[in-house]
Amino acid sequence: MAAPPPRPHIALHPSNNFFKTSETIEDDAWDSASDGEEAPQSTFSFSTWSRPSSTPKPVPKPITSENTSLAFSYTHVNAPNPGSYPPREETLQPGWTIVRTRRSSNSANNDESVPEADTDVEGDMILGDLDAESSPAVPDSAKSGSIRDDAEKIADDPLCGIRRPAPISQKSKDNITHSDKLMRERSIRTNRKHKFVDCLSSQDVNIAELRKLAWAGIPSELRPMAWQLLLGYLPLTKPLRAATLARKRGEYTSLVEVAFARDREGLDQQIWHQIEIDVPRTRPGVNLWMYGATQRSLERILYVWAIRHPASGYVQGINDLVTPFFQVFLSAYIDSDPEDFDPSLLPKQVLDAIEADSFWCLSRLLDGIQDNYIFAQPGIQRSVRRMADLVARIDAPLSSHLESQNVEFMQFAFRWMNCLLMREISVQNTIRMWDTYLAEGPDAFSQFHLYVCSAFLVRWSEKLREMDFQGIIMFLQSLPTQGWGDHEVEMLLSEAFVLNSIWHNAQSHFNGK
């Protein structure tokens, strides 16, 4: 797949004179690390700047029932609370490089004050991750040795990446005979994986059987292909897959080339600026999303999607929805933890395939929930109203307490709907949850998710009924889900399934339509 063209990485509001390069800029500065090209030589002077920890964060706008356009004010002005994610080891924070296009005549020395990243500055740019020393150190698990030898073959045919589980040897049986329970659990996992492999390897995949198997979770090594089949991106008929992948990836490359054909002058500056603000905030503390190659791919995915969907454009929160796809598809090509892997180590063909596949699968997902992101976000408004009504029926004491404390569902449930609970649980939890969503069908991200959010709130009912307004809001914005694993997620999904079974066919019970 042809390399997308170089593109700018600007983390500041563009000033009126920013793009007038004829007088103040002799050459353009580009961050093209993910394009496989050397950055053009520039006459700029570079100085390294580490973002101070005391930099004030933007303050979210207050949330009221009258405010119907909340996506731009509430969910993403601040990075997610670190308490919403599992604890991770300390990692180096990505550095920033400030590029001086011209020096102030009033500057008496080199100790110039550094502007904040979200303020208008004339003639200056801040380029992220251009300084190699400020990028996160590549852990041993991210060395090229963890890339699968058959990575390029997998890009052409996902079935090549599937490894049939080996039968349990007699020696292994002898080693675990002391635990019949362990033996049974291992046998169940092996048999289940065999069923998945048989289903995915068939000439024409039985989608009903795949959905049935996927509801209870998909083995990690089989998930990339299974997700693409469940989303309808990968054809069910085996002989059609290679040609379909080549066509769709080529189409995405063309979209990127057209979108960036005029370099920065041709971009929609409002969309591009918001994307560049959000991308560095995506999954803070996770190495994968701090690498330059990952951020460049994410920027292209989001920008191309936005200009193809003018009814909504880019809305904060969509950047989060890309992360499970990118991480799952990356895992098909490596034998290490994708959260610690630097995608720039991959062959270009493979990285291009991951980016294109992530784009198309994101598009498939958003097709079913696009009214969440159009003007006034009616899909989210409707879901929040239905959630409030549902909780009133399944947990009347909790609903009454929230009302007595003047807590509106919009104050916390908006983010749950907008980001599909991704700010409340880890990526691993989200991926497991999406196995079931995709198995439920195309409406699961709007319909089934309503019941998941309701079950999620009721889970904390006892604690919430002992809190006042401030305690409730603070608790719901930093839930104790850091230690959640598959068991907790599966219990939540089971509770949501029960609610769905009871209430889904009783639409007349809901006040909000």
Side-chain angles (χ1 to χ4, degrees), residues 4 28 47 66 77 80 115 136 147 209 223 249 274 286 337-338 353 373 378 400 423 441 452 479 481 508:
D28 289 336
S47 61
E66 291 80 12
V77 285
I147 301 175
E209 178 66 18
R223 187 175 281 124
R249 290 166 180 170
Q274 189 61 57
V286 179
D337 184 356
Y373 302 106
S400 297
R423 295 298 180 93
V452 171
L479 289 163
T481 54
S508 60

Side-chain angles (χ1 to χ4, degrees), residues 153-162 164 197-207 225 228-229 233-246:
K153 292 182 180 179
I154 296 172
D156 295 329
D157 182 6
L159 198 58
C160 293
I162 292 181
R164 184 175 292 274
V197 172
D198 290 341
C199 180
L200 297 176
S201 301
S202 60
Q203 286 293 111
D204 195 354
V205 173
N206 184 332
I207 191 64
M225 182 177 177
Q228 292 180 14
L229 288 165
Y233 170 58
L234 198 63
L236 300 177
T237 304
K238 182 178 178 181
L240 300 178
R241 291 173 193 160
T244 300
L245 287 176

Side-chain angles (χ1 to χ4, degrees), residues 388-403:
D389 191 69
L390 179 60
V391 171
R393 298 174 185 278
I394 63 178
D395 193 336
L398 174 60
S399 178
S400 297
H401 181 69
L402 294 178
E403 184 176 357

Side-chain angles (χ1 to χ4, degrees), residues 325-470:
F325 291 123
F326 195 94
Q327 185 166 317
V328 166
F329 298 155
L330 170 62
S331 70
Y333 303 98
I334 61 176
D335 288 320
S336 60
D337 184 356
E339 288 198 350
D340 287 325
F341 188 85
D342 183 356
S344 67
L345 300 173
L346 292 167
K348 187 176 185 308
Q349 172 194 355
V350 172
L351 182 54
D352 287 348
I354 294 170
E355 182 177 328
D357 295 347
S358 299
F359 169 81
W360 290 116
C361 288
L362 173 71
S363 299
R364 292 270 181 169
L365 184 155
L366 292 176
D367 284 346
I369 56 174
Q370 190 163 353
D371 63 345
N372 284 5
Y373 302 106
I374 62 177
F375 177 74
Q377 299 178 273
I380 293 180
Q381 301 287 335
R382 181 172 58 251
S383 293
V384 172
R385 289 195 302 270
R386 292 183 63 196
M387 179 181 169
D389 191 69
L390 179 60
V391 171
R393 298 174 185 278
I394 63 178
D395 193 336
L398 174 60
S399 178
S400 297
H401 181 69
L402 294 178
E403 184 176 357
S404 70
Q405 295 299 317
N406 296 316
V407 175
E408 298 182 7
F409 275 69
M410 190 65 69
Q411 292 172 305
F412 60 88
F414 179 89
R415 188 172 79 175
W416 295 6
M417 299 296 177
N418 190 59
C419 302
L420 300 179
L421 285 177
M422 293 187 65
R423 295 298 180 93
E424 282 59 50
I425 59 178
S426 68
V427 180
Q428 292 87 347
N429 292 160
T430 298
I431 289 171
R432 170 60 192 91
M433 187 178 290
W434 283 18
D435 288 345
T436 299
Y437 281 24
L438 293 172
E440 277 286 315
D443 294 332
F445 289 90
S446 57
Q447 299 296 326
F448 189 68
H449 184 66
L450 164 68
Y451 299 98
V452 171
C453 289
S454 300
F456 189 64
L457 177 64
V458 171
R459 181 187 184 94
W460 317 104
S461 176
E462 185 175 347
K463 291 183 178 180
L464 292 170
R465 283 185 277 121
E466 297 176 352
M467 299 177 181
D468 59 9
F469 174 87
Q470 183 176 359

